Amino acid sequence: MKYLLSIATAFLLSACVIPTLPAYNYNGETKNISIPKEGEVNTVSLGEDLLQQGQISVRDALHFETSVNITRYFTASAGDYFKIGENDKGQYFDATSTNGSSIVRGAMGNNAMALMVTKENKVCVITMQMAALVCDNSLVPVIQPANAVTTNNFQQSLIYNGRVGNKINIGYRETSGNLARPAFSNNVEYDLSVSNIIAYKGARLEVLNATNQSITYRVIKNFNSGLDKTTNADQIRGLNPIN
């Protein structure tokens, strides 16, 4: 019994434990995407998106480029840990990264409830037991925006499926929360000998050149011209799922 108490005491003293609880008051923001911009000329290959429009959620995240030790008691895998809240003590982040990795405890560590970056810029782990705060002074926190797909996200896209003779095949797809909705997927053929303007659900494209390998086109109108057109392709790559 005395041995166990001495271990617990050593853990508390060496880890600079301060009782605390995470705040859950942060939701990030929602951004509209519209790619490419209206008026732009673009070329895509077979199977690629001609047009994308919808919404994504953007949330701050604590980023670790590589796996790091948070004191000797915890290890965080490389990745992004979404922000969950903030108060006068600091910012709080999920204990599970966007790729599904959780904070790993050491032999004497407790399970992690959340991560924290204090006002003094210390990276800390909030433990499940006693809501203890275990901080590391050696780490420099990197907090940056990360894209997150939620079940409320909705996206529309047109996909190039190739050309046979004078006809091109265009696929339409709607996705919600990163899941395709089969009832809202469709394939349509357009005869370029009739017109080089194709239209679907309000979107209009001018076809400049089309082969069975690629298509070059100009965006006349996206699905909904009211959406923000400043978001670029780099901003929607690698979307991260969250609940």
Side-chain angles (χ1 to χ4, degrees):
M1 184 67 177
K2 290 182 179 179
Y3 175 72
L4 293 176
L5 287 174
S6 64
I7 289 177
T9 302
F11 171 76
L12 293 176
L13 292 175
S14 62
C16 301
V17 172
I18 304 171
T20 190
L21 286 172
Y24 296 92
N25 56 3
Y26 176 79
N27 296 313
E29 61 177 322
T30 299
K31 286 187 177 182
N32 297 313
I33 58 172
S34 184
I35 305 168
K37 297 178 183 178
E38 290 179 5
E40 282 190 356
V41 174
N42 195 40
T43 299
V44 300
S45 299
L46 190 69
E48 292 185 332
D49 290 335
L50 297 117
L51 206 59
Q52 288 179 293
Q53 185 165 287
Q55 291 184 330
I56 57 173
S57 296
V58 181
R59 298 173 66 178
D60 286 345
L62 179 60
H63 176 78
F64 296 118
E65 191 67 27
T66 60
S67 179
V68 297
N69 293 323
I70 304 175
T71 72
R72 59 184 175 178
Y73 302 109
F74 299 95
T75 300
S77 300
D80 293 315
Y81 296 78
F82 282 130
K83 182 175 176 177
I84 57 176
E86 183 175 9
N87 58 23
D88 58 353
K89 295 181 180 179
Q91 301 182 69
Y92 302 89
F93 302 84
D94 200 336
T96 302
S97 72
T98 57
N99 58 22
S101 299
S102 299
I103 301 297
V104 179
R105 64 175 181 172
M108 292 171 56
N110 295 317
N111 291 324
M113 180 191 305
L115 289 167
M116 180 183 181
V117 175
T118 69
K119 292 293 185 181
E120 296 76 29
N121 233 29
K122 297 178 182 178
V123 177
C124 307
V125 173
I126 301 175
T127 66
M128 289 286 191
Q129 291 79 6
M130 299 172 59
L133 193 64
V134 183
C135 296
D136 194 313
N137 298 324
S138 65
L139 297 175
V140 178
V142 176
I143 300 173
Q144 60 188 31
N147 294 326
V149 175
T150 73
T151 54
N152 293 325
N153 290 147
F154 175 73
Q155 293 187 44
Q156 296 171 283
S157 58
L158 291 179
I159 306 157
Y160 185 55
N161 292 329
R163 175 173 181 166
V164 178
N166 287 326
K167 293 183 179 180
I168 59 173
N169 187 285
I170 304 295
Y172 171 77
R173 182 177 59 197
E174 291 181 3
T175 58
S176 179
N178 227 17
L179 299 175
R181 302 164 63 189
F184 293 91
S185 297
N186 196 15
N187 290 301
V188 183
E189 283 191 338
Y190 296 89
D191 191 340
L192 296 180
S193 65
V194 176
S195 174
N196 69 333
I197 305 296
I198 63 175
Y200 194 86
K201 282 187 174 284
R204 290 170 60 84
L205 307 178
E206 178 187 6
V207 178
L208 304 177
N209 184 52
T211 69
N212 206 36
Q213 287 76 44
S214 65
I215 183 171
T216 300
Y217 59 99
R218 182 176 66 86
V219 180
I220 299 174
K221 186 177 180 294
N222 213 315
F223 296 106
N224 180 351
S225 296
L227 286 183
D228 177 19
K229 303 174 183 61
T230 60
T231 304
N232 58 44
D234 290 334
Q235 290 175 282
I236 66 165
R237 293 194 182 103
L239 296 178
N240 301 314
I242 63 172
N243 294 325

